[in-house]
Amino acid sequence: MNEGRFIDMLRAAFPDAGLGDDTAVLPAPAGELLFAADAVVDGVHLDLRYGSLAQAAAKAVTANVSDVYAMGGEPVAVTVTAGLPAGLGDEDAADLVRGLRAALDRYGAGLAGGDTVASAGPFFLDVAILGRVAAGRALRRGGARPGDRLVVTGPLGRSLAGLAVLRAAADLPPIPGVPAARLVSGESGREAFLDAARACPIGAGEEEAAALLAARGLDAAFLPALLAAAAHLAPLARPLPPGEAMRGGVRAAIDVSDGLARDLRNLCAQSGAGALVDEAALPLDPPADVAAGGDDDARRRLLLGGGEEYVLLLAVAPGAACPGTEIGEIRPAADGLRLRTRGGGIVPLPDLGWEHIL
């Protein structure tokens, strides 16, 4: 059983529920309400051996906010169910609260309640979010049409590169196909690097990362690694740029949370369409490019298979304003999903990305 099969079973049982988009869309007196939920589980979505509880809490909020942004909406409030293992101390609880506070302040949302339960297994957080969007303006996954341009609103690959870096620094098994271990090679500085990574705030940039390294006696050679680690541990979701002219041309949207290739499959499945992606146009994040070490296969894995990007993948009508980087186009369903390689060849889109196996 995998996640997709389970969702298909739910869709068949509840055909009127509107399953398949990033959030539910509910009628409201003014506009529409967006509702979604997402969870993070220690050992699946995060690893407290190299991340903090504050980062876990902030990331859980970010994942839900990104879903609201993918619908063209804005977040209003969240509820949080926290599964807390035995032995959680006051300092750990305070760290968790700090992470929630920082994320909600960053996104302009409030805490509407929730629940705390004892967990006999790992730590987990289940966050549900309420957002809003103007009536009839929710961006669905099913609106893409042949001829639309495929656009991503930010660079790709940094989160998966960051996971590879963190696993190398913590002396854990590597991520297959991502040779990032060399960025933290040797024993010297690994513990200090991990300490800096745990301290990264949500959306940490170069200046903050450099200051964290300097405070721990590490030089700028660690900067690409720390920027990648920060993107994995404490990512920032970003909405579409404002402006009716720009939004008016967006026909379909999804946030890149499971990898570009997998999320494009989901968007095209909902739209009944195919797609052609131009590999040379894909914007690889600079720290991820460093992590790839010049390996073409690693670059492709980072670009197409890196999840938790929290950028948006859009289908934009021809001639409309383009709020990002154009990476290909929507094609008829009969064309399938294909990739134009850097060498100019056309191949099937690789089956890369994250899928929960239940």
Side-chain angles (χ1 to χ4, degrees):
M1 172 66 71
N2 59 39
E3 182 182 27
R5 173 61 183 148
F6 183 62
I7 292 172
D8 286 342
M9 292 168 66
L10 288 172
R11 187 179 289 118
F14 300 96
D16 297 326
L19 301 179
D21 286 302
D22 284 287
T23 75
V25 180
L26 307 174
E32 292 174 317
L33 299 179
L34 305 174
F35 179 78
D38 212 342
V40 295
V41 180
D42 185 20
V44 179
H45 305 90
L46 69 145
D47 194 322
L48 294 176
R49 289 175 290 185
Y50 48 70
S52 71
L53 283 169
Q55 290 168 332
K59 190 171 183 177
V61 173
T62 289
N64 281 273
V65 169
S66 185
D67 283 338
V68 170
Y69 286 162
M71 301 294 292
E74 58 180 353
V76 176
V78 304
T79 63
V80 179
T81 296
L84 306 178
L88 187 81
D90 289 353
E91 186 175 338
D92 290 331
D95 197 31
L96 181 61
V97 171
R98 279 194 296 270
L100 286 173
R101 176 82 271 174
L104 292 173
D105 286 348
R106 188 70 182 257
Y107 297 120
L111 181 64
D115 193 18
T116 55
V117 297
S119 172
F123 162 83
F124 69 87
L125 282 178
D126 184 28
V127 175
I129 191 166
L130 187 68
R132 61 190 168 204
V133 66
R137 298 305 303 273
L139 299 176
R140 310 277 189 162
R141 296 180 184 178
R145 298 292 179 265
D148 289 349
R149 294 166 296 155
L150 281 172
V151 173
V152 288
T153 61
L156 304 167
R158 187 184 287 196
S159 180
L160 181 57
L163 176 59
V165 165
L166 288 162
R167 293 187 66 84
D171 200 25
L172 296 169
I175 301 297
V178 184
R182 63 188 182 80
L183 296 182
V184 287
S185 60
E187 296 300 322
S188 177
R190 282 194 179 191
E191 283 303 319
F193 175 82
L194 286 173
D195 186 57
R198 293 186 189 100
C200 284
I202 185 171
E206 287 194 19
E207 187 174 333
E208 290 168 301
L212 288 169
L213 291 174
R216 290 156 179 81
L218 299 174
D219 62 34
F222 282 91
L223 187 58
L226 188 58
L227 286 171
H232 181 75
L233 292 172
L236 178 67
R238 292 181 172 85
L240 274 175
E244 288 301 309
M246 188 165 289
R247 285 174 177 255
V250 179
R251 288 180 167 163
I254 188 172
D255 80 318
V256 183
S257 56
D258 292 329
L260 180 69
R262 189 164 301 281
D263 288 317
L264 176 59
R265 288 181 191 279
N266 290 334
L267 185 145
C268 286
Q270 291 294 312
S271 292
L276 176 64
V277 176
D278 185 356
E279 186 175 21
L282 295 173
L284 186 63
D285 189 89
D289 200 6
V290 174
D295 185 297
D296 287 342
D297 288 339
R299 286 174 57 90
R300 181 174 291 180
R301 182 173 295 276
L302 289 166
L303 284 164
L304 295 175
E308 298 182 338
E309 305 283 13
Y310 303 120
V311 299
L312 303 181
L313 172 64
L314 312 173
V316 181
C322 177
T325 302
E326 188 173 341
I327 63 166
E329 66 177 336
I330 296 292
R331 293 289 186 89
D335 287 2
L337 300 175
R338 299 181 295 166
L339 179 74
R340 179 184 291 114
T341 68
R342 292 179 181 277
I346 304 294
V347 299
L349 185 71
D351 187 16
L352 295 171
W354 174 261
E355 183 174 20
H356 288 285
I357 303 298
L358 306 176

